[in-house]
Amino acid sequence: MTYPDNFESKIGFNEIRQLLLERCLSTLGKDLVEEMHPSTDAGVVNRLLREVSEFRRIQEESDDFPLQYFFDMRQSVSRLRLEGTHLDEGELFDLRRSLETISNIVSFLNRTRGGSESNDAEDADYAYPTLHGLTNDVKTFPSLIRDIDQVLDKYGKIRDNASTRLLEIRRELSRVEGNISRMLYGILRSAQSEGLVEKDAAPTLRDGRLVLPVAPAMKRKLKGIVHDESATGKTVYIEPAEVVEANNRIRELESEERREIIRILTELAKVLRPHVTEMLQSYHLLAAIDLIRAKAELAAMTMGFEPEVQDTPHIDWIRAIHPLLHFSLSRQGKKVVPLDIMLTKEKRMLIISGPNAGGKSVCLKTVGLLQYMLQCGLPIPIGERSRCGIFHRIMIDIGDEQSIENDLSTYSSHLLNMKMMMRLSDDHTLLLIDEFGTGTEPQIGGAIAESVLRQLWKHKTWGVITTHYQNLKHFADDHDGVANGAMLYDRHEMRPLFQLEIGRPGSSFAIEIARKSGIPEEVIHDASELVGSEYIQSDKYLQDIVRDKRYWEGKRQTIHQREKELEKTVAHYEEEIKQLRESRRAIIAKAKQEAEDLLRESNRRIENTIREIRESQAAKEETRRVRESLDDFKQEVSNLDTEANDELVSKKMRQIQERRERKEKRRKEKEKEKAQQAGSPTKPKPSRPEGVIAAGDTVRIKGLTTIGRVENVEGKMATVVFGDMRTKLRVERLEHAEMPVKEAPTYATVGRQTRETIDERKLNFKQDLDIRGMRGEEAINAVTYFIDDALLLGMTRVRILHGTGSGILRQLVRQYLSTVPGVTHYRDEHVQFGGAGITVVDLD
């Protein structure tokens, strides 16, 4: 996979590995970090990256993921395989807590996107599916945890009631210790009164036995056994003879207690032993989570990103950063310059040239380190639009490999590396070669380097190569699949910019750097004459080209950034439109359902009313009662119509109410005809088409209850008087109505509800209508209702925003406005306020 053997140290991956080790919670994760190696399987790499991505999402979305008690108990559990062995209290307590952590992790990862835990592995939509895959075949042990809890308390100590015998032993031990304590304090008080012991002295423990501190001069006056003396020799510790037997009894009880504890732990080990293999398997999950968490922590430090990796060689990185250089510069308060680098099938090899200390080697190491990290399943600091691939081999030649032991000079070591690269490289190999061809006489060194490069090119090898040789720069121009790249340098400020530009070779800026370094001008002049003016001029031309390209590249990036922002804005609005459409469909569906329910209820009420009238044989009092019941229902529907916020629901309800009133009207006419059957025939009125509105007719606006009188009709427009208000409306918006019989005519005054509705509309009416983005029919429909409302509310001027565009909307709007009698004039808005994109409409 890699060459040479010290590849990781050359690219700096050993430091990345150390950072991971520092972030592991236990030796479980650390062992996996030590074993971590790159994969050539894109599926495996993508799975590893998704694991880290999901864990980072857990860190953002939840704070209850179990991360406590990551104990490595594999060695202790493995020891249980031997008969007669047991775990001590501390090991058993750690085992219990770590098993509980494993159980909690499995439970957490079994959650579905709705937040509940799922036991159906096939149909469940898990919140973190890749991490959930780690729990496959991992068993949890709630019964073993309960068995351990019967032996240990919450502090990890053996319970008194772990067995009957242990409870008896501890009770006896407590009783004996109490007796000793009382006896010892009695002896202490007596000794203090006799002056044998200091007044502030107290019993203490030595070798597990209770003793009294006594001055050396008084030790023979107190009968007992001397167990110890202080470091200064000023105090001796004596066990009084009266408590020796009692202390011996305590020792016996403590031994019995320990034997009983060992017996309890041995019995518990027999319960645990059949599950050893499964428990060891479950610790793989704990180790994997430990490693994934360390990766996520490192990714947060490096601002890493988890790209989708394709299974072919490919590098298209945007704003790539060397993580170790980022850490180093951050400590100095500096920022690293991101690199944009691309290796594709069309341009597999990149020849980078430029000044010394300009960032060529850093660029090469960045490619090597990030690609190696990526194939190890680590997020890498690149832009989100970057694309990545897989290489089967990564080989590097950088630094000085001379060896006295192996009789290798610097150039010999380079040649040895070139030989291995030519032997092993293929179309899935990535080569990283620094200062290609250096270490020997430049002319022959450049020739050998070009020859080796040609062989690598024939193998279709991928690579990043840094050089100062002109012949290698020309090779890139003359061969397909090879591109030149330049590390940019600011000639005016005489400093490297550490920016990579692909497509042009770079200048070494040797003259400029020599002059900046303080080399005498005479030496620089002589050097310039030695290489010739043509070389100096060509180098300057190359520098000018690079400078100009930098300028236009900056412009291109600015345009590209603005295009991205525009795309984001468009996507945002498209998403909002989509949500509005979905909301609109939901509202319409709800309105239809409510309208259908209301229609069914209305029909039921009407049918019941007709049936009751028939059954009561149209008795006057009974008919009045039934009608009052129906009027109450009408009032409920009317209130519902007034309070509804959804326009579609209100419209549907009004239509239902109108149909009900028309049925009631026809019923009244039939009753009237029956009542007049005995009367004399009346003179027929001149007939006219049904539904035609004429002057003098009593009408109302469709959907409203207020009644008015038609003053005159001009074409499609009618002048109608509603109480004290005169307005013009389209004839199609009016319908015939009957004058109320019981009370004064409703057209003489405007109803309170209607007046409130009109006032509310007037308060909420906006004099600007925006129809930009609408289709022609939709726009004209909106303008029609807008102008009608404006005329009804007595507005004198409104504005219609249609935009400029191709001018179609503007033309359609004005064609319509020219047909409306209430429109006296229309024109373009002032240039400062929108010009031809807005039409100002003056109303009568």
Side-chain angles (χ1 to χ4, degrees):
M1 172 64 195
T2 59
Y3 175 86
D5 294 337
N6 60 347
F7 177 87
E8 289 191 0
S9 64
K10 282 182 174 290
I11 63 172
F13 187 77
N14 52 349
E15 298 180 46
I16 297 295
R17 196 185 294 271
Q18 183 60 37
L19 290 172
L20 281 173
L21 289 171
E22 293 172 359
R23 277 148 189 82
C24 288
L25 297 173
S26 70
T27 55
L28 292 163
K30 291 180 180 179
D31 289 346
L32 291 185
V33 172
E34 295 291 355
E35 298 169 3
M36 188 171 57
H37 61 276
S39 172
T40 57
D41 187 338
V44 172
V45 173
N46 283 323
R47 176 178 58 80
L48 295 175
L49 292 175
R50 285 196 300 272
E51 289 174 353
V52 181
S53 177
E54 290 180 5
F55 194 88
R56 296 177 74 179
R57 188 153 57 87
I58 288 175
Q59 291 177 320
E60 294 174 358
E61 298 174 351
S62 175
D63 57 358
D64 61 343
F65 187 85
L67 287 174
Q68 292 181 321
Y69 312 129
F70 273 63
F71 300 121
D72 185 1
M73 302 303 298
R74 292 174 296 180
Q75 186 174 356
S76 299
V77 172
S78 298
R79 194 174 70 244
L80 285 177
R81 287 195 174 104
L82 299 176
E83 290 289 341
T85 57
H86 67 275
L87 303 181
D88 62 30
E89 297 171 49
E91 290 174 325
L92 193 62
F93 191 45
D94 289 346
L95 175 65
R96 183 248 182 251
R97 290 186 292 175
S98 57
L99 289 179
E100 185 177 39
T101 297
I102 293 171
S103 178
N104 291 339
I105 290 174
V106 172
S107 177
F108 186 95
L109 296 181
N110 277 336
R111 294 180 183 176
T112 59
R113 295 189 188 276
S116 61
E117 187 175 341
S118 173
N119 295 320
D120 190 350
E122 295 182 359
D123 300 330
D125 182 16
Y126 293 106
Y128 311 101
T130 309
L131 289 175
H132 174 264
L134 297 175
T135 65
N136 293 337
D137 302 325
V138 174
K139 292 188 176 181
T140 56
F141 307 94
S143 61
L144 295 184
I145 293 174
R146 287 194 296 271
D147 291 339
I148 296 173
D149 286 341
Q150 290 177 358
V151 174
L152 299 181
D153 61 17
K154 62 180 180 179
Y155 302 109
K157 303 300 180 183
I158 300 292
R159 293 178 178 272
D160 291 347
N161 59 353
S163 73
T164 305
R165 177 58 183 156
L166 182 62
L167 182 60
E168 293 174 354
I169 293 172
R170 288 187 171 176
R171 284 178 176 174
E172 177 65 16
L173 186 62
S174 177
R175 186 186 65 78
V176 174
E177 286 177 345
N179 291 339
I180 292 176
S181 178
R182 286 191 294 273
M183 292 171 60
L184 201 60
Y185 273 101
I187 296 170
L188 177 62
R189 285 192 294 271
S190 176
Q192 287 174 339
S193 63
E194 295 175 6
L196 302 178
V197 179
E198 297 290 336
K199 293 293 184 182
D200 56 350
T204 185
L205 276 174
R206 282 294 185 272
D207 296 331
R209 303 177 78 91
L210 284 170
V211 295
L212 295 177
V214 180
M218 302 293 180
K219 64 181 180 180
R220 295 188 182 278
K221 296 182 179 181
L222 183 65
K223 293 182 180 181
I225 302 172
V226 177
H227 282 275
D228 197 5
E229 67 176 1
S230 65
T232 59
K234 294 181 179 180
T235 303
V236 294
Y237 298 95
I238 299 176
E239 179 183 11
E242 294 89 337
V243 298
V244 170
E245 286 300 324
N247 273 332
N248 289 340
R249 179 56 180 160
I250 287 179
R251 287 294 183 91
E252 292 174 2
L253 290 173
E254 286 176 346
S255 297
E256 290 181 21
E257 179 189 31
R258 186 59 194 162
R259 285 194 298 271
E260 180 61 18
I261 288 174
I262 292 174
R263 188 193 67 79
I264 293 171
L265 295 177
T266 303
E267 291 298 321
L268 183 58
K270 292 178 181 179
V271 177
L272 299 176
R273 189 166 291 115
H275 305 282
V276 166
T277 303
E278 295 171 344
M279 283 192 287
L280 291 175
Q281 183 69 26
S282 68
Y283 276 95
H284 292 323
L285 172 63
L286 212 57
I289 294 297
D290 196 5
L291 174 60
I292 292 169
R293 176 193 166 278
K295 289 181 179 180
E297 294 291 329
L298 181 63
M301 290 177 57
T302 61
M303 297 176 291
F305 169 66
E306 301 86 13
E308 186 69 24
V309 181
Q310 60 191 54
D311 60 357
T312 56
H314 190 88
I315 291 179
D316 183 4
W317 295 345
I318 301 170
R319 299 187 64 79
I321 293 175
H322 193 294
L324 300 178
L325 181 62
H326 169 68
F327 296 152
S328 176
L329 293 180
S330 296
R331 288 191 291 267
Q332 303 173 31
K334 300 178 182 178
K335 291 185 178 180
V336 65
V337 179
L339 292 172
D340 293 346
I341 187 166
M342 180 185 295
L343 295 179
T344 64
K345 289 183 178 180
E346 293 74 23
K347 296 293 182 182
R348 300 185 308 276
M349 302 184 76
L350 178 63
I351 309 296
I352 302 177
S353 51
N356 290 317
K360 299 190 301 296
S361 298
V362 171
C363 178
L364 184 141
K365 284 187 174 183
T366 300
V367 173
L369 178 59
L370 295 190
Q371 185 64 37
Y372 195 79
M373 289 175 62
L374 178 68
Q375 294 189 217
C376 285
L378 293 171
I380 56 177
I382 57 176
E384 294 183 358
R385 293 185 295 112
S386 301
R387 297 172 59 196
C388 306
I390 290 289
F391 293 93
H392 293 174
R393 288 191 184 91
I394 306 177
M395 310 175 76
I396 191 170
D397 178 29
I398 188 172
D400 190 354
E401 292 290 339
Q402 63 176 322
S403 171
I404 297 176
E405 296 177 358
N406 298 325
D407 194 23
L408 280 178
S409 67
T410 300
Y411 189 63
S412 298
S413 66
H414 287 318
L415 290 178
L416 179 61
N417 289 337
M418 293 305 106
K419 181 182 74 172
M420 295 300 296
M421 289 179 178
M422 286 187 290
R423 178 187 299 174
L424 300 175
S425 62
D426 56 20
D427 59 350
H428 282 74
T429 301
L430 175 63
L431 301 180
L432 306 169
I433 306 175
D434 190 35
E435 301 294 351
F436 195 23
T438 58
T440 188
E441 193 270 321
Q443 189 170 357
I444 188 64
I448 293 176
E450 184 176 348
S451 180
V452 171
L453 182 59
R454 183 173 286 105
Q455 293 298 317
L456 298 174
W457 174 76
K458 290 179 180 179
H459 292 170
K460 296 184 178 180
T461 304
W462 301 61
V464 178
I465 299 170
T466 67
T467 187
H468 290 284
Y469 288 155
Q470 290 291 341
N471 62 319
L472 298 185
K473 300 177 188 178
H474 296 322
F475 182 91
D477 292 332
D478 298 337
H479 293 75
D480 293 334
V482 187
N484 270 309
M487 299 305 297
L488 302 183
Y489 190 84
D490 191 330
R491 279 194 304 167
H492 301 290
E493 297 185 12
M494 298 302 293
R495 64 179 182 87
L497 299 176
F498 304 108
Q499 295 177 3
L500 173 64
E501 184 178 83
I502 297 176
R504 290 283 187 275
S507 170
S508 296
F509 293 95
I511 298 296
E512 288 79 359
I513 293 175
R515 183 175 285 114
K516 180 183 178 182
S517 301
I519 301 298
E521 193 63 34
E522 181 181 357
V523 175
I524 295 174
H525 180 72
D526 288 345
S528 300
E529 289 183 349
L530 289 173
V531 298
S533 59
E534 292 184 0
Y535 178 86
I536 298 297
Q537 289 300 322
S538 65
D539 197 45
K540 288 183 178 179
Y541 293 149
L542 180 61
Q543 295 171 15
D544 292 338
I545 292 172
V546 171
R547 179 200 62 209
D548 293 343
K549 188 171 182 181
R550 267 185 57 215
Y551 173 78
W552 292 112
E553 180 65 20
K555 291 287 187 183
R556 186 191 69 81
Q557 290 181 357
T558 301
I559 294 172
H560 183 66
Q561 183 66 25
R562 291 181 179 175
E563 286 178 349
K564 278 184 60 182
E565 293 174 356
L566 181 60
E567 288 175 359
K568 288 182 180 179
T569 303
V570 171
H572 174 71
Y573 284 126
E574 287 178 349
E575 180 65 23
E576 285 191 348
I577 291 172
K578 180 181 177 182
Q579 293 176 358
L580 287 173
R581 286 175 178 169
E582 292 177 354
S583 177
R584 179 175 177 269
R585 283 196 293 268
I587 291 172
I588 291 175
K590 181 180 178 182
K592 286 181 178 179
Q593 183 61 41
E594 292 181 357
E596 290 174 359
D597 294 343
L598 182 59
L599 179 60
R600 283 194 295 270
E601 178 65 16
S602 301
N603 290 335
R604 188 182 65 80
R605 290 291 185 95
I606 293 171
E607 289 172 359
N608 290 340
T609 302
I610 293 172
R611 187 178 66 254
E612 290 180 13
I613 292 175
R614 286 175 178 174
E615 291 175 353
S616 61
Q617 298 180 354
K620 183 176 180 181
E621 185 64 26
E622 184 65 21
T623 301
R624 186 183 63 79
R625 185 190 64 77
V626 173
R627 284 182 177 174
E628 286 178 355
S629 175
L630 187 60
D631 288 339
D632 291 340
F633 177 69
K634 286 181 182 179
Q635 186 61 37
E636 292 177 7
V637 174
S638 178
N639 292 339
L640 178 63
D641 179 50
T642 302
E643 295 170 359
N645 292 323
D646 190 287
E647 183 179 355
L648 293 173
V649 176
S650 300
K651 184 177 179 181
K652 193 69 177 178
M653 291 170 64
R654 287 195 298 270
Q655 291 173 352
I656 294 170
Q657 188 174 355
E658 289 168 7
R659 286 198 295 268
R660 188 180 66 251
E661 290 175 351
R662 285 197 294 271
K663 288 181 181 179
E664 183 71 13
K665 179 181 177 182
R666 286 195 294 269
R667 187 182 63 78
K668 289 181 179 180
E669 289 176 350
K670 288 180 181 180
E671 291 180 356
K672 187 175 181 181
E673 289 177 359
K674 290 179 181 179
Q676 294 178 350
Q677 283 179 355
S680 60
T682 57
K683 184 178 180 180
K685 295 182 180 179
S687 63
R688 63 179 177 185
E690 185 179 354
V692 174
I693 303 297
D697 287 354
T698 301
V699 295
R700 64 182 173 197
I701 299 174
K702 292 179 179 180
L704 299 177
T705 58
T706 303
I707 297 175
R709 180 175 55 81
V710 179
E711 192 173 73
N712 58 36
V713 179
E714 297 178 0
K716 296 182 178 180
M717 300 298 294
T719 302
V720 185
V721 177
F722 294 98
D724 298 331
M725 183 177 66
R726 179 181 286 102
T727 184
K728 286 186 177 182
L729 295 169
R730 296 177 68 86
V731 174
E732 61 189 32
R733 295 190 63 188
L734 301 174
E735 64 180 2
H736 286 95
E738 288 187 349
M739 294 291 293
V741 177
K742 296 181 179 180
E743 299 178 0
T746 57
Y747 59 80
T749 58
V750 180
R752 180 180 60 81
Q753 181 179 353
T754 303
R755 171 59 64 185
E756 290 177 354
T757 302
I758 293 176
D759 290 343
E760 182 180 357
R761 286 196 179 187
K762 194 164 187 178
L763 287 173
N764 296 328
F765 183 78
K766 296 182 180 179
Q767 293 181 274
D768 289 354
L769 174 65
D770 190 350
I771 60 173
R772 290 175 292 182
M774 295 184 183
R775 294 185 175 87
E777 183 179 352
E778 184 183 3
I780 293 302
N781 190 37
V783 171
T784 300
Y785 283 102
F786 178 66
I787 294 298
D788 287 350
D789 287 345
L791 289 169
L792 177 63
L793 299 174
M795 298 294 168
T796 58
R797 175 172 293 176
V798 294
R799 303 197 318 161
I800 302 173
L801 285 70
H802 44 65
T804 52
S806 59
I808 295 176
L809 269 184
R810 178 175 180 269
Q811 182 180 355
L812 289 174
V813 169
R814 296 195 174 197
Q815 285 177 356
Y816 168 73
L817 292 175
S818 63
T819 66
V820 180
V823 175
T824 59
H825 179 66
Y826 53 82
R827 57 179 172 80
D828 289 342
E829 179 60 281
H830 192 277
V831 176
Q832 292 181 345
F833 303 107
I838 300 175
T839 294
V840 180
V841 184
D842 293 328
L843 303 174
D844 186 5

